[in-house]
Amino acid sequence: MSAVSWPDNVNMKAYNATETALDNTTALEFESGKKRVYQKNSRTRAAFSFCITCLNNNTASCEYARFWDWYKNTLKGGANSFYFTDLLTKDGLTEYRMTSTPSASGQRYKEITIEVEEV
């Protein structure tokens, strides 16, 4: 399935972003003890963790509720990938896949922590 768009009326203002390079090698070890390492793909992908803050006024139309509706019904609980602002360059869109279920904390303003990897 193709990637989906970020939900309307949910901000894309990512902060507290951390980046980790994903392993892009595979190794072949011989009985003699020699090891050959090969690159899996032509580019190394990255994984990120970041936060967004959403307003929560306990209505079905609030930003926080729209995010979870999108996550459950459009993203299918993380089964689909999605387009989001490029977390390295902050320019253009990049396709990401969630690697875990988002978590949220707070009351009126919910801080949602999202973990993704580049597709």
Side-chain angles (χ1 to χ4, degrees), residues 43-87:
R43 75 174 181 93
T44 301
R45 296 179 308 129
F48 298 90
S49 175
F50 65 94
C51 298
I52 62 170
T53 298
C54 293
L55 176 62
N56 178 32
N57 60 10
N58 296 317
T59 64
S61 63
C62 72
E63 187 178 21
Y64 180 68
R66 285 192 303 266
F67 172 82
W68 284 109
D69 179 66
W70 170 81
Y71 178 77
K72 293 173 187 173
N73 299 310
T74 304
L75 204 59
K76 305 294 185 196
N80 293 330
S81 58
F82 63 97
Y83 291 109
F84 191 79
T85 303
D86 189 293
L87 293 166

Side-chain angles (χ1 to χ4, degrees), residues 67-68 71-72 77-78 98-104 112-116:
F67 172 82
W68 284 109
Y71 178 77
K72 293 173 187 173
M98 288 197 187
T99 56
S100 65
T101 303
S103 61
I112 302 173
T113 302
I114 301 170
E115 295 180 2
V116 298

